[in-house]
Structure formats: structure tokens, C-alpha cells
């Protein structure tokens, strides 16, 4: 593993922050209504100062009312999903963990599907999604606790089981109620179509509340990543810290999924990518992943709404999966490449047989 | 003094106790060796003494206080581990890894301060890992990693003020020399020995290498099947019959040519 030179880290922050500043106005360019960059900047500035709200100014409405809200929503959702992915991967010490491994996203999609098929008011859809996410999380926690204390293996297993069960329930709803299929597909694939400032209002409370424990316990994440025994020996109350982090990350995920539907791969890919550049320390990893995740979803959404002609949109989840799949193969290939690991051999052969079971896991960097 | 009194401990769900009526103690400035064959309960005894394990019977007392009654942080400030190589080594610099030792000293939501960082530098100097400070922990060799963990343990128990006098500190070393070459193993134990001489630390070390143990341990506990087979000083315990009873292998005991301490040499072709 290469060292994380200061130059590389500084370059990352410069590029990421610069890209965020440029991307927000740039992403507002895309759409039906043609606008040039300087006009978008002027309109955004007018929106910020609250001065230029001239009546009937279509361009102003398009930029500040429609496009900017959607860009912000995509950025926030991407940032939230990526940050949750960092937390889940850290506390479960599982490189495949992300908001979906725990069934949180599946729960949100199921809540939405149920609401669509029962004809609930459209305004209540995000609420139903949030309720579904929360229920799924509680179910997963309950299942994982049933076998004793909260263990990372049982937690992932419980998440997979709950996610599979919920996905079957969604299929059942689709089979029983064919009229609801298009609406449900929207939730299962994820999209920001017709989302606006109201949805940001729906997103923010859970998002902010969930971020609080993550920010306060970012240092504990470093310690939890060493394993429970090590965390206890260093003086960290591992079960309690993990529960708070789990609740925080799940609240953030549920808020994101409640407004965007299920969007895969952002929470999985982004933390891996950023870890390669910034290393494993969680404070920079969380901030870096949030920036990159936000950018990824922001531009995925631009692609989703501009690839097809005549105003038709692709589900943004399709874009992230199409981008994320091959990228993940690349990461796997990289991880599988033999590296100089002088210790794996010696620690494997020297371990007394009676203790082989407790730490025979592969060394990961 | 750290004392285990009649400790009986089970792992969750196990019918047979991992430790049965085990008593032992370690004083200031003393290295206690825990020896025994595989599965005899060495690591379990370390866990029990450090308050990591709920005991069925008996207590572990640190200066008369039950270690399980201490808070997580208090316990970590007074007792530190040099564990076996963890399964997942994060991509952190050695300096960041050693800094984690200071976690138990942080106030609620506090940050690592200049004092913590100075103690980390001192601990890295003591364990001779200063030149590795900016290396990623997952690139270290076995010996280097073990010494970095020793530095973390030193930093973990260092008091924030009055760095010079005796420290109330206990170190638990779980097979620290496993997989290390001879030079690294001796260097690690020399480092620990120096720490003990300087600050009056208590050390409990689970160890397989009975010759290395003879050179560094002041007293020993022999464990077999979770029970104490014998305990005492090296010269008392290192007899051919005792080591045969412990390991089921034939040894010849000879004095070390320079230190005079007993060394156990295996006799080939004599396995039962």
C-alpha cells in the first residue's frame, strides 16, 4: 500500500471542493429550458440575495425553483448515502456493508410500495418510506440481538435476510396490483424526478439528527474498526458507540431513501475509493466520502435527466449501478492482486492451534 | 498489586470452564509469565485479570478494587494490552495508531491535545518505532508491528502529568513473540523490561517460548486445562518432571551460560 503523501491528500481536497463549487451551477445548465452559464450564475446570485424574484420570470423559476433544488437534493442524498456507507463499513468491519446490506433501503422501498398500492396521498409517500426504513432497521437489530449481543456477523446476516424478504414482498405487491407497478419501479430504482424544495424539507430533519452521532463518534469509528476486543481494551464502550452510530447512519439513509427511492452503489463504492486516497482515518474519510458521494449522485442525476430525449428520464439508480458495477469490479481486481504482506504468512503459521479461530481473518489494508 | 483470586470463568455457551479456580498475582516491577500448552487458558486468564471477561466465580483485584467494577476508561488508563496481531489492520500511520492509546484519557467529545501527542512521541521513542512513525501500519513487519503496539500500550498508561515517577500501570502481552524472529523477540522483551525497571510496571505475559520466558519472567504460572499446575519462580519451576507434566514433552534443563537462568532443551525422539 502506498503512503498517503501530503501532496496527494491536498490535491484531493482541492479538486473535491473545487468540483463542488463548480458543479452546483454547472448542473443547473442541464434541462429543457436552454440557459447559458453566466445567466445561471446571475440567477443563482439573485436567488441567494433574494432580490431577483421578478414575477413571471420563467428562467428564475427554472433555475432557483426547479433545478437548484434538485441539484441540492441529489448532492445531499449522495453525501448522506456515502457517509452512511463509511459508518456501516466501519462498525460492521465488512467491506461489502452499505446502507442496503442492513435492509434499511429495502424497508423504505417496501413502505413506499405499500403506500402506492393502498392509494395513500402522494405527500405521505416519503413518510411511509421513512416508516418502512425504520421498521426494517428495528427488525434487523432485533434479529441480530436475538442471538445474544449485537455481533457484526449476525447483523449482516439479519440485514440480508430482511432485505430478501422485503424484496419478495415488493414483488408480491407488484404481482397483486399491476396498476401500481410504474410507481413502485420508480421507488425501487430511485429517481429525483419532480422533487423540489419541499422534499429537502422532508430530508433535512432526519439527515441532521442522524449526522450528529456520526460527527461526535467519528473518532470511535477508528477504534471500532479494530474490533470489539481491541476497542474495549482501549477504553471504548464498543456496543454503545456502535448502536449510536448505527442509529445515526440509518436515520441518514432513511431520510435519503425517503425522498429519492433506492439508489445503490453510492454507499458502497465511494468509501472504498476515498479510502484509497485518504487512508482509514474516519474524520477525513467521512468528509471526503460525503463530498465525492454528493458529486457522484449530482452528476448521475444530470445524466439521468439528459440522456433521453423529449424530457423522458432514466431512474438515477440505473445510472449509479451502471457506473458502479464496473468500477467495483476494478476495485475487486485491485484488492485481489497479490501484494507484499510479510505478516500474513508468519501470523498464520505461528498461531497456536487452540486460538486459530479467533483471528484467522485475512489481513486487509 | 494485581491479584486473581479463585477465578472460574466460562466462555458463553461452553460447558467446561476455560479457567477453574485460578489464583495468581503480580506486583509492581514484576513480569509474570503464563505458560501452558495450546488451549490451557493463557489468553483467557489475561482477559479475566484485565476485566474483559465476566467471571463465574472469584475476582480480579487491582490494588484491592474489583477490575470489573472500574469504568471502561479507568480500566484502559491503568491496564493496556499488546494483543496478538489483529485480523484487520487499518491503513493508518503508526503515529495515528499509537495516538489511539490516548483515547481513554480524552474528555467527552474532546480532541487529542499537544500533551497526548508529546506522550505518543515519547512512547514511540521508547519502543524504538520513531523512524516508522509515518509508515502505514499495514506495511509493517511482524516485529515492527508488535513494537508499535507496545508503543501504543506505553502511551495508553502514561499519566498526563508527572511522567517521571512510578506509574500505576499493568501490561498484558498475549503471545508477543509469536511469529517474530529472534532479534525482534529479544528487542521487544528488552523494551518491556526497561519499562518495568523505569516505572515499576506490572506485566502479565502469555507465552509459548519457555526459554524466552525463563530469561525475562520474574515468576510464572503453569496452566493446564484451565487449572494452575504450579506457580513460582523460574528456578523453582524449571525441572524436567515439571515441564514434562506441563507440556508432555521431554526436556533437559541446563543453566544459561551467561545469565545462569534455567533453559529447557527438547530431547528428540522422546515424545510419548
Amino acid at each position: 500500500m502506498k503512503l498517503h503523501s501530503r501532496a496527494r491528500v491536498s490535491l484531493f481536497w482541492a479538486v473535491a471542493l473545487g468540483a463542488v463549487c463548480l458543479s452546483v451551477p454547472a448542473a443547473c445548465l442541464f434541462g429543457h429550458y436552454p440557459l447559458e452559464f453566466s445567466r445561471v450564475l446571475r440567477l443563482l446570485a439573485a436567488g441567494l440575495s433574494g432580490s431577483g424574484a421578478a414575477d413571471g420570470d420563467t428562467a428564475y423559476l427554472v433555475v432557483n425553483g426547479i433545478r437548484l433544488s434538485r441539484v441540492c437534493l441529489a448532492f445531499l442524498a449522495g453525501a448522506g448515502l456515502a457517509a452512511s456507507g463509511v459508518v456501516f463499513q466501519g462498525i460492521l468491519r465488512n467491506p461489502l456493508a452499505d446502507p442496503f446490506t442492513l435492509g434499511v433501503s429495502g424497508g423504505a422501498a417496501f413502505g413506499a410500495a405499500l403506500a402506492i398500492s393502498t392509494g395513500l396521498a402522494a405527500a405521505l409517500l416519503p413518510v411511509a418510506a421513512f416508516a418502512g426504513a425504520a421498521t426494517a432497521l428495528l427488525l434487523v437489530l432485533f434479529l441480530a440481538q436475538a442471538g445474544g449481543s449485537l455481533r457484526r456477523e449476525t447483523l449482516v446476516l439479519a440485514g440480508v435476510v430482511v432485505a430478501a424478504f422485503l424484496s419478495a414482498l415488493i414483488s408480491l405487491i407488484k404481482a397483486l396490483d399491476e396498476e401500481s407497478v410504474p410507481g413502485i419501479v420508480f421507488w425501487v430504482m430511485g429517481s429525483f424526478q419532480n422533487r423540489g424544495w419541499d422534499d429537502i424539507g422532508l430530508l433535512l430533519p432526519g439527515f441532521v439528527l442522524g449526522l450528529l452521532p456520526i460527527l461526535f463518534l467519528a473518532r470511535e469509528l477508528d477504534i471500532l474498526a479494530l474490533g470489539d476486543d481491541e476497542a474495549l481494551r482501549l477504553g471504548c464502550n464498543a456496543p454503545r458507540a456502535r448502536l449510536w452510530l448505527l442509529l445515526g447512519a440509518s436515520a441518514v439513509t432513511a431520510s435519503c431513501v425517503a425522498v429519492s427511492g433506492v439508489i445503490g452503489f453510492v454507499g458502497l463504492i465511494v468509501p472504498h475509493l476515498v479510502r484509497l486516497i485518504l487512508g482509514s482515518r474516519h474524520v477525513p474519510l467521512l468528509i471526503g466520502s460525503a463530498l465525492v458521494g454528493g458529486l457522484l449522485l449530482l452528476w448521475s442525476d444530470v445524466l439521468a435527466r439528459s440522456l433521453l430525449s423529449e424530457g423522458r428520464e432514466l431512474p438515477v439508480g440505473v445510472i449509479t449501478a451502471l457506473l458502479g458495477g464496473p468500477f467495483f469490479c476494478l476495485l475487486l481486481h485491485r484488492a485481489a492482486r497479490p501484494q507484499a504482506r510479510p505478516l500474513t504468512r508468519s501470523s498464520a503459521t505461528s498461531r497456536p492451534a487452540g486460538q486459530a479461530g479467533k483471528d484467522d481473518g485475512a489481513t486487509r489494508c | 498489586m494485581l491479584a486473581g483470586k479463585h477465578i472460574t470463568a466460562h466462555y458463553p455457551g461452553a460447558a467446561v470452564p476455560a479457567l477453574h479456580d485460578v489464583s495468581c498475582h503480580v506486583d509492581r516491577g514484576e513480569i509474570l509469565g503464563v505458560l501452558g500448552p495450546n488451549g490451557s487458558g493463557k489468553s483467557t486468564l489475561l482477559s479475566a485479570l484485565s476485566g474483559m471477561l465476566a467471571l463465574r466465580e472469584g475476582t480480579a483485584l487491582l490494588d484491592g478494587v474489583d477490575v470489573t467494577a472500574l469504568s471502561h476508561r479507568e480500566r484502559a488508563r491503568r491496564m493496556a494490552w499488546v494483543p496478538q496481531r489483529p485480523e484487520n489492520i487499518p491503513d493508518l500511520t503508526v503515529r495515528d495508531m499509537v495516538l489511539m492509546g490516548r483515547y481513554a484519557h480524552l474528555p467527552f467529545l474532546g480532541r487529542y491535545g499537544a500533551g497526548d501527542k508529546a506522550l505518543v512521541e515519547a512512547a514511540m521513542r521508547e519502543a524504538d518505532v520513531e523512524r516508522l512513525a509515518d509508515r502505514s501500519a499495514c506495511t509493517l513487519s511482524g516485529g515492527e508491528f508488535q513494537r508499535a503496539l507496545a508503543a501504543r500500550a506505553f502511551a495508553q498508561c502514561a499519566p498526563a502529568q508527572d511522567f517521571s515517577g512510578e506509574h500505576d500501570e499493568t501490561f498484558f502481552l498475549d503471545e508477543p513473540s509469536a511469529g517474530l524472529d529472534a532479534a525482534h523477540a529479544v528487542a521487544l522483551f528488552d523494551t518491556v523490561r526497561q519499562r518495568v525497571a523505569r516505572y515499576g510496571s506490572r506485566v502479565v505475559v502469555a507465552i509459548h517460548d519457555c526459554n524466552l520466558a525463563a530469561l525475562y519472567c520474574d515468576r510464572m504460572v503453569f496452566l493446564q486445562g484451565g487449572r494452575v499446575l504450579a506457580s513460582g519462580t523460574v528456578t523453582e519451576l524449571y525441572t524436567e518432571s515439571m515441564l514434562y507434566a506441563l507440556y508432555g514433552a521431554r526436556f533437559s534443563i541446563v543453566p544459561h551460560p551467561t545469565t545462569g537462568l534455567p533453559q529447557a532443551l527438547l530431547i528428540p525422539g522422546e515424545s510419548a
Side-chain angles (χ1 to χ4, degrees), chain A residues 204-215 244-245 247-249 251-252 255:
Chain A
L204 276 180
F207 193 87
V208 172
L209 274 180
L211 272 184
L212 287 179
I214 296 177
L215 291 177
W244 277 108
L245 284 163
L247 288 174
V252 170
S255 318

Side-chain angles (χ1 to χ4, degrees), chain B residues 4-263:
Chain B
K5 296 199 184 300
H6 306 290
I7 290 173
T8 298
H10 291 246
Y11 277 112
V16 185
L19 293 173
H20 193 93
D21 194 22
V22 174
S23 295
C24 61
H25 65 94
V26 54
D27 280 314
R28 285 268 169 99
E30 202 175 44
I31 301 182
L32 176 70
V34 181
L35 281 81
N38 291 334
S40 56
K42 299 188 293 294
S43 300
T44 314
L45 179 58
L46 264 57
S47 295
L49 289 174
S50 60
M52 295 291 137
L53 196 64
L55 304 183
R56 182 72 57 93
E57 278 166 47
T59 48
L61 301 175
L62 180 60
D63 291 329
V65 179
D66 189 340
V67 291
T68 55
L70 299 172
S71 72
H72 287 94
R73 297 158 65 80
E74 164 94 30
R75 203 154 53 211
R77 285 196 292 263
R78 299 172 67 184
M79 300 193 281
W81 277 69
V82 178
Q84 295 191 22
R85 189 179 175 81
E87 61 183 271
N88 183 14
I89 297 168
D91 186 12
L92 298 174
T93 63
V94 169
R95 184 177 279 114
D96 284 335
M97 194 180 88
V98 176
L99 193 58
M100 279 189 194
R102 299 300 297 169
Y103 173 77
H105 296 262
L106 293 178
F108 182 63
L109 301 183
R111 295 166 56 86
Y112 297 110
D116 295 316
K117 289 180 177 146
L119 288 172
V120 163
E121 298 301 321
M124 287 195 297
R125 212 162 31 243
E126 205 178 334
D128 194 25
V129 288
E130 257 187 320
R131 69 202 155 75
L132 305 174
D134 294 312
R135 283 261 301 274
S136 170
C138 56
T139 65
L140 301 184
S141 78
E144 291 167 339
F145 190 74
Q146 243 12 53
R147 284 218 307 277
L149 286 178
R152 192 185 72 180
F154 294 166
Q156 186 175 335
C157 285
Q161 289 116 23
D162 187 23
F163 194 56
S164 53
E166 279 214 335
H167 294 182
D168 170 23
E169 59 184 21
T170 307
F171 298 117
F172 295 91
L173 281 61
D174 192 1
E175 304 284 1
S177 58
L180 264 55
D181 59 45
H184 275 118
V186 166
L188 181 72
F189 273 95
D190 281 339
T191 302
V192 171
R193 184 86 254 182
Q194 275 170 26
R195 176 83 177 192
V196 171
R198 195 177 304 163
Y199 299 119
S201 330
R202 293 171 280 252
V203 176
V204 184
V205 51
I207 183 166
H208 260 295
D209 186 333
C210 52
N211 288 327
L212 202 57
L215 297 179
Y216 288 97
C217 297
D218 300 297
R219 284 186 306 103
M220 290 188 186
V221 178
F222 283 4
L223 284 183
Q224 196 177 52
R227 291 166 194 268
V228 176
L229 182 72
S231 61
T233 64
V234 182
T235 36
E236 286 163 14
L237 291 180
Y238 273 49
T239 64
E240 284 161 20
S241 57
M242 183 62 84
L243 288 180
Y244 181 72
L246 183 66
Y247 290 115
R250 294 279 176 202
F251 288 90
S252 187
I253 309 292
V254 294
H256 191 284
T258 45
T259 67
L261 289 162
Q263 293 285 285

Side-chain angles (χ1 to χ4, degrees), chain B residues 250 266-271:
Chain B
R250 294 279 176 202
L266 276 164
I267 305 171
E270 295 264 339
S271 61

Side-chain angles (χ1 to χ4, degrees), chain A residues 7-255:
Chain A
R8 203 150 66 109
V9 171
S10 313
L11 186 69
F12 170 84
W13 290 117
V15 169
L17 287 171
V20 171
C21 295
L22 272 180
S23 292
V24 171
C28 290
L29 284 172
F30 294 87
H32 259 337
Y33 195 90
L35 285 164
E36 62 274 25
F37 193 64
S38 55
R39 180 116 189 262
V40 168
L41 283 182
R42 272 203 310 279
L43 288 167
L44 286 174
L48 270 181
S49 60
S51 60
D55 283 336
D57 188 346
T58 320
Y60 181 87
L61 267 180
V62 164
V63 169
N64 285 306
I66 300 168
R67 290 188 190 166
L68 182 62
S69 67
R70 193 165 163 169
V71 164
C72 289
L73 197 61
F75 184 83
L76 283 176
L81 289 173
S84 315
V86 170
V87 174
F88 286 133
Q89 284 170 17
I91 55 180
L92 302 177
R93 290 195 297 142
N94 187 328
L96 291 179
D98 82 332
F100 306 89
T101 323
L102 289 183
V104 179
S105 305
F110 173 69
L114 203 62
I116 291 168
S117 72
T118 53
L120 210 66
L124 286 177
L125 260 182
V127 181
F130 193 91
T135 313
L137 173 72
L138 288 177
L139 193 63
V140 169
L141 284 178
F142 172 76
L143 281 176
Q145 294 263 20
S149 60
L150 197 64
R151 288 168 53 85
R152 63 192 174 103
E153 298 89 351
T154 42
L155 199 63
V156 172
L157 271 180
V160 169
V161 168
V162 168
F165 186 71
L166 288 169
S167 146
L169 283 181
I170 293 172
S171 299
L172 184 70
I173 294 177
K174 281 199 285 192
L176 291 178
D177 181 7
E178 289 189 1
E179 281 175 27
S180 66
V181 167
I184 293 176
V185 165
F186 168 90
W187 276 92
V188 173
M189 302 308 293
S191 173
F192 292 104
Q193 202 165 8
N194 303 327
R195 302 282 146 183
W197 291 113
D198 292 350
D199 296 288
I200 291 190
L202 273 170
L203 169 92
L204 276 180
F207 193 87
V208 172
L209 274 180
L211 272 184
L212 287 179
I214 296 177
L215 291 177
F216 286 143
L217 296 175
R219 208 181 37 223
E220 275 78 356
L221 264 173
D222 288 338
I223 288 175
L224 285 173
L226 300 174
D228 274 19
D229 288 346
E230 275 277 89
L232 283 173
R233 289 164 190 162
L234 289 172
C236 170
N237 188 342
R240 194 176 62 187
R242 192 175 35 210
L243 188 64
W244 277 108
L245 284 163
L246 199 63
L247 288 174
S250 298
V252 170
T253 304
S255 318

